Amino acid sequence: MKFEELGTGFVKKKERRVVGLFIDGTGLDRATRRINRKVDMTALVRGVSSGLQPIVARYYTLIPYEDDSRQRAFLDAVAKAGLSVIVKRLPPKGITRQVTVDLEMAADMVAFSLGLTSFSKENEYLPIEFQAARAAMSSPRHGRAELTEDDIAQATSDQSARGTGPLLKVDSSLVSVKRSVVVVCPSRELSYPMSMIKDLGADTTTADFGQFNQGDVLKSAAKWMDLSDSETIWRD
């Protein structure tokens, strides 16, 4: 890490670091079910990001073929923790087809390491209140009260805070900074993109539970964090 001398013994970092957080919700759910504990998503984000606020924080998961009110309530809570939620729907009962979120995670992780700060909204899950705001902005206003500038500004602010802006927009002010990619409970299939990201010069960290980690992914990342040792990420 490079430092700049400020005099009287004080120094500051010359290199800025930004964090992108990518959580495999399916892997996280399986691991926590095995140990019969529930994660506080806000505390998890804070814990794995080394005290920094991620500029990108995305949660990937599979959802039932038919809508489930309990699943929707859970995803609403995840979104309110500051995570953009990316979902893929499972096939109907009786149809055997493997579905994963590995491709979406790999693409977003590599894109972030190359300088992107916002991504495609394909398969993005939005809480009910945000869906209503988006629908109102895109619908004819006959018989409706017009949205105020404050409404639009708030929706834009919410979208920016959740890491979902215009399609694949590059933030030129952040391209030259050091990028840290943190991946929570990744599958074995993400070992190749993790190796590629490390070769591109980004910091790479995987966070998983010691007894359930994937050896190939651990070898491909520069650092590994054992979540089973944490005392702060759990819900009471």
Side-chain angles (χ1 to χ4, degrees):
M1 183 68 69
K2 297 179 181 179
F3 294 90
E4 178 182 353
E5 182 70 39
L6 297 180
T8 64
F10 290 95
V11 296
K12 71 174 182 179
K13 297 178 182 178
K14 294 182 65 176
E15 184 178 61
R16 185 183 174 193
R17 185 165 68 93
V18 293
V19 175
L21 174 61
F22 305 89
I23 301 175
D24 186 334
T26 302
L28 177 62
D29 180 64
R30 287 172 180 167
T32 53
R33 282 176 183 270
R34 286 169 179 158
I35 59 177
N36 196 29
R37 300 196 72 175
K38 295 183 178 180
V39 168
D40 180 321
M41 296 304 299
T42 301
L44 176 66
V45 171
R46 184 170 56 247
V48 300
S49 301
S50 302
L52 297 176
Q53 180 66 37
I55 63 169
V56 172
R58 289 165 78 80
Y59 179 95
Y60 305 78
T61 192
L62 304 176
I63 60 174
Y65 181 76
E66 297 179 352
D67 288 335
D68 183 305
S69 59
R70 290 175 300 177
Q71 180 76 12
R72 180 175 290 276
F74 171 75
L75 295 180
D76 284 351
V78 172
K80 289 175 182 177
L83 291 152
S84 297
V85 180
I86 308 302
V87 298
K88 288 186 77 173
R89 200 173 289 277
L90 293 166
K93 291 181 179 179
I95 297 180
T96 303
R97 184 174 73 245
Q98 185 176 7
V99 180
T100 73
V101 292
D102 293 335
L103 181 60
E104 288 78 7
M105 287 189 68
D108 289 349
M109 289 157 50
V110 173
F112 175 79
S113 70
L114 290 172
L116 300 181
T117 57
S118 44
F119 306 94
S120 170
K121 293 187 283 291
E122 183 77 15
N123 297 334
E124 180 187 3
Y125 172 87
L126 296 175
I128 294 296
E129 60 270 23
F130 199 86
Q131 292 180 30
R134 178 174 288 182
M137 283 190 284
S138 61
S139 299
R141 293 175 178 167
H142 300 297
R144 297 172 180 262
E146 291 193 4
L147 288 176
T148 66
E149 290 184 3
D150 289 342
D151 293 331
I152 296 173
Q154 182 61 51
T156 303
S157 175
D158 291 344
Q159 189 179 35
S160 174
R162 295 172 58 250
T164 57
L167 178 64
L168 298 182
K169 179 180 178 182
V170 177
D171 187 338
S172 59
S173 67
L174 297 176
V175 171
S176 61
V177 304
K178 186 70 173 180
R179 290 182 167 252
S180 294
V181 176
V182 180
V183 189
V184 177
C185 293
S187 70
R188 184 179 290 104
E189 283 69 23
L190 291 178
S191 60
Y192 181 82
M194 286 293 290
S195 295
M196 180 180 180
I197 290 167
K198 187 165 62 173
D199 290 343
L200 289 171
D203 284 335
T204 53
T205 301
T206 57
D208 208 335
F209 297 85
Q211 62 269 49
F212 308 126
N213 62 64
Q214 302 287 346
D216 293 341
V217 178
L218 297 187
K219 294 176 183 177
S220 62
K223 291 172 279 187
W224 174 58
M225 188 182 305
D226 189 353
L227 296 177
S228 60
D229 291 337
S230 175
E231 297 294 336
T232 61
I233 66 171
W234 308 108
R235 284 164 49 189
D236 295 331

